Amino acid sequence: MMIENTGLNGVKSDLALLDETAEKAGFVRWQWEYYRATYEYKIEDNKTEYYVRMNTRVVEGKLEKPDTILVIEAVYMGKATFPHGLEYETPIPAAVQGIANKKLQQFKEMLEA
């Protein structure tokens, strides 16, 4: 499920600030390679795990250099599946969506501060 109207799509930041802000907001940079990174936030609801993901892409430099500039490309959410992966077509409970929206707003405010 794509999460629209977060105000994050297209936002640029250097890697150092993005990593610091993500950590403070509870996001983790899991998947990464030299030109992209994915930040995730886990939400648990009745023994079901959901993940909010932010995809970023390098626009200047290479990852692992603090001054690398990244742009947030997409924000989406899915239900965790076994053994690993996300299912994006499953309806997300309203309470989980609410938590995700609050967390994304918090992340955006911290990034802009």
Side-chain angles (χ1 to χ4, degrees), residues 13-16 58 60-70:
S13 175
D14 64 61
L15 178 63
V58 172
E60 184 180 318
K62 283 187 176 180
L63 274 182
E64 297 312 310
K65 291 186 177 182
D67 61 344
T68 297
I69 304 298
L70 294 102

Side-chain angles (χ1 to χ4, degrees), residues 47-49 51 79-87:
K47 298 184 181 180
T48 301
E49 296 177 348
Y51 286 86
K79 177 182 171 186
T81 61
F82 181 81
H84 47 76
L86 292 182
E87 206 293 293

Side-chain angles (χ1 to χ4, degrees), residues 24-99:
K24 286 180 182 177
F27 287 80
V28 175
R29 178 167 43 117
W30 282 116
Q31 301 174 359
W32 65 272
E33 56 186 42
Y34 292 104
Y35 298 102
R36 67 177 187 87
T38 301
Y39 293 85
E40 296 182 340
Y41 180 76
K42 181 169 85 171
I43 301 170
E44 294 185 61
D45 181 57
N46 296 325
K47 298 184 181 180
T48 301
E49 296 177 348
Y50 299 89
Y51 286 86
V52 177
R53 282 188 171 169
M54 289 186 287
N55 281 349
T56 65
R57 183 154 314 273
V58 172
V59 292
E60 184 180 318
K62 283 187 176 180
L63 274 182
E64 297 312 310
K65 291 186 177 182
D67 61 344
T68 297
I69 304 298
L70 294 102
V71 63
I72 299 173
E73 291 187 321
V75 181
Y76 53 98
M77 182 176 209
K79 177 182 171 186
T81 61
F82 181 81
H84 47 76
L86 292 182
E87 206 293 293
Y88 300 108
E89 302 303 318
T90 301
I92 308 293
V96 173
Q97 287 181 18
I99 293 167

